[in-house]
Amino acid sequence: MGKPIREGAGPRHVAVIMDGNGRWAQARGRPRLFGHHAGAKRVREIVQACPDVGVKYLTIFAFSTENWKRTQSEVAGLMSLFRRYITKEARALKAENVQVRFIGDRVRLDHKLVRLMDELEQMTVDCTGVNLTIAINYGGRDEVARATRRLAEDVAAGKLDPASVDEETLPRYLDTCVLPDPDLVIRTSGEARISNFLLWQSAYAEYEFVDTLWPDFGAEEFSRLVSAYGTRDRRYGGVRA
Ligand code: IPE
Ligand code: IPE
Ligand code: MG
């Protein structure tokens, strides 16, 4: 049932901003959706590479709260790709012992997609291998705003004392409440920005920005970036002993 995760000095949680599908397609004279389909195919290889390099948590950015600005046909194509992806990959993910979660605001997603997301989460809830978190309609600011709203509701209901609120409190209301913070954030396609991904959680993450377009990104490059993380000196504001 899936490979055992090799524990080591590497990053336990890697988050990936899968960018560059559109440019990859454009370079081939094909529509952007062709690039999204090619990109989706790369995910399995990266998930499968995780146990060998000691990555227990993999979080991937599939659709941001800002991506609704794209044409209606690209958005509809992406939503249909997500539905198809979940339907097609569910059995393989379960067989590989992958526990799947989704983060992001589900309210704006269509009911059929939300049902498939819920089902996949339920189906893999007992899996003990890699934790795959897929961010759909996810925005870091939106997540913090939604978390703050729920926190405020608890205060109003008398369940939470405002004087007790500190930096341990808010994370309990975030979509990622059960996940550790990412150790390493990778972005493909040459853009050196985080585009509203895991804002709170990445306060002390290490970053890798690579030029490779997402549909060309493979296990070998992933493993190389994960290994390079071992050479980073994470000081968290302190000094080396
Ligand atoms: C990333 O690829 C996938 C999504 C944001 C859904 P893009 O679609 O952003 O590709 P580029 O950046 O236009 O090349
Ligand atoms: C970030 O990529 C979102 C995802 C990868 C899902 P974008 O392509 O949307 O980000 P910008 O527009 O370059 O900042
Ligand atoms: Mg992009």
Side-chain angles (χ1 to χ4, degrees):
M1 276 263 285
K3 281 190 179 173
I5 315 257
R6 257 184 54 187
E7 297 282 334
R12 236 169 40 108
H13 184 176
V14 178
V16 184
I17 303 172
M18 309 183 290
D19 196 20
N21 295 347
R23 279 163 283 170
W24 185 90
Q26 227 161 16
R28 285 158 182 76
R30 303 294 300 269
R32 295 178 59 83
L33 267 171
F34 180 70
H36 295 315
H37 282 268
K41 289 198 188 112
R42 305 308 293 200
V43 173
R44 185 188 285 197
E45 185 181 326
I46 304 305
V47 175
Q48 284 173 340
C50 284
D52 280 337
V53 292
V55 173
K56 172 78 178 163
Y57 298 89
L58 178 72
T59 299
I60 56 176
F61 203 4
F63 191 90
S64 78
T65 46
E66 288 70 41
N67 288 148
W68 299 103
K69 292 178 194 160
R70 298 184 179 198
T71 62
Q72 202 262 327
S73 86
E74 182 172 354
V75 169
L78 279 163
M79 293 301 150
S80 134
L81 170 63
F82 298 148
R83 288 195 300 271
R84 258 210 280 171
Y85 182 84
I86 295 173
T87 311
K88 265 186 61 189
E89 293 291 310
R91 263 154 57 119
L93 288 163
K94 165 105 179 153
E96 284 168 27
N97 202 18
V98 176
Q99 187 174 84
V100 184
R101 291 187 185 84
F102 292 92
I103 56 171
D105 190 359
R106 298 181 192 200
V107 168
R108 200 171 164 185
L109 300 177
D110 83 59
H111 295 301
K112 193 159 174 237
L113 174 58
V114 173
R115 187 167 52 75
L116 290 167
M117 288 159 62
D118 288 338
E119 281 170 6
L120 183 55
E121 285 183 336
Q122 273 312 308
M123 193 175 146
T124 61
V125 73
D126 293 322
C127 292
T128 54
V130 174
N131 279 258
L132 173 65
T133 303
I134 306 175
I136 299 183
N137 193 25
Y138 175 87
R141 288 183 171 179
D142 176 68
E143 180 192 34
V144 170
R146 285 185 289 106
T148 308
R149 194 185 311 142
R150 287 198 298 273
L151 189 152
E153 282 163 5
D154 280 355
V155 169
K159 291 190 222 158
L160 182 70
D161 174 7
S164 75
V165 174
D166 59 17
E167 60 179 84
E168 308 294 322
T169 316
L170 189 72
R172 298 204 298 265
Y173 290 85
L174 295 173
D175 297 349
T176 53
C177 58
V178 298
L179 304 175
D181 285 343
D183 301 296
L184 174 65
V185 179
I186 296 171
R187 183 174 187 144
T188 58
S189 90
E191 312 294 353
R193 55 176 172 259
I194 58 174
S195 302
N196 205 7
F197 193 39
L198 301 176
L199 293 183
W200 174 282
Q201 299 88 337
S202 299
Y204 262 103
E206 299 292 324
Y207 285 88
E208 286 280 4
F209 298 101
V210 296
D211 288 338
T212 313
L213 302 175
W214 176 253
D216 291 328
F217 188 82
E220 204 175 306
E221 188 166 14
F222 179 72
S223 304
R224 188 173 57 69
L225 295 173
V226 168
S227 304
Y229 167 92
T231 64
R232 301 283 187 97
D233 177 16
R234 296 182 82 186
R235 290 185 291 273
Y236 299 99
V239 284
R240 228 153 128 73

